[in-house]
Structure formats: C-alpha cells, structure tokens
Amino acid sequence: MNRVLIEEGCEVVGHEDRPSAIIGAAHRLRPDIVVLDLDNGSSHELAQLVRGASPETTVVLWAREEDLMEVLEPVWNTSRLVAVPIVERLRSELSGQHVHE
C-alpha cells in the first residue's frame, strides 16, 4: 500500500496498526484520506470512529485482493463500492492527497 501511495505522489503522514492509534492519528493529523483494511472484520466500525474523529476525512476501505474498495466521503452518509480495476481507481481517489494508512 505504501508503495502505491508514494508512486501516486501521496504524502503518507502516518501508519498505525492499533485501532485506537488510527483514531488518534486521524484526529491529530486530519488527513485527506485514511486507508483501512476492508478484510478486517471490524473495519466498518473503525471507519465510523475515524469519521467521528476527523469528519472532513475520506475513508477508503481496501481489500487485500485489490478487487474491491469501499469509499466513505465526508459529505455522504453512505459508502460507495468500487470494483475492478481497483489499483487504477485507488490511484484516482488518492491523486495528490495526504494519506494516513
């Protein structure tokens, strides 16, 4: 993920593994986008907590297989699903953004 983000010109401002650290970093850093692992069973709950900590942040839930991505934008209450080609779509979502992974 870091490689894709950096190749697309994104500034990766953090990388956290623990949910509480992700939420804290989102609140403190206010990134444009936070990327979460869609394969994690609690990713949707974590996405809502991140949105609460940083309401202006877009949350991207990305499946490791790269065949599905869910995007939760600040202005929408519902998410939108994006299917293949994921890498190209992820790149368009991330272009020029400051990202917390």
Side-chain angles (χ1 to χ4, degrees), residues 40-83:
N40 182 331
S42 61
S43 61
H44 287 93
E45 180 182 327
L46 179 56
Q48 293 306 321
L49 294 171
V50 167
R51 291 180 77 184
S54 183
E56 66 280 0
T57 297
T58 296
V59 178
V60 174
L61 297 120
W62 188 29
R64 289 180 193 225
E65 302 85 41
E66 300 182 10
D67 62 351
L68 182 66
M69 179 173 68
E70 189 172 343
V71 180
L72 296 99
E73 297 179 80
V75 296
W76 299 101
N77 289 328
T78 59
S79 63
R80 60 186 164 90
L81 293 177
V82 179

Side-chain angles (χ1 to χ4, degrees), residues 4-13 30-33 58 88-100:
V4 171
L5 297 173
I6 291 168
E7 285 176 1
E8 291 309 308
C10 295
E11 177 184 358
V12 178
V13 296
R30 304 287 191 194
D32 296 325
I33 297 175
T58 296
E88 289 78 13
R89 183 62 186 204
L90 179 63
R91 286 180 174 145
S92 79
E93 293 287 339
L94 299 173
S95 65
Q97 302 293 315
H98 301 284
V99 179
H100 182 272

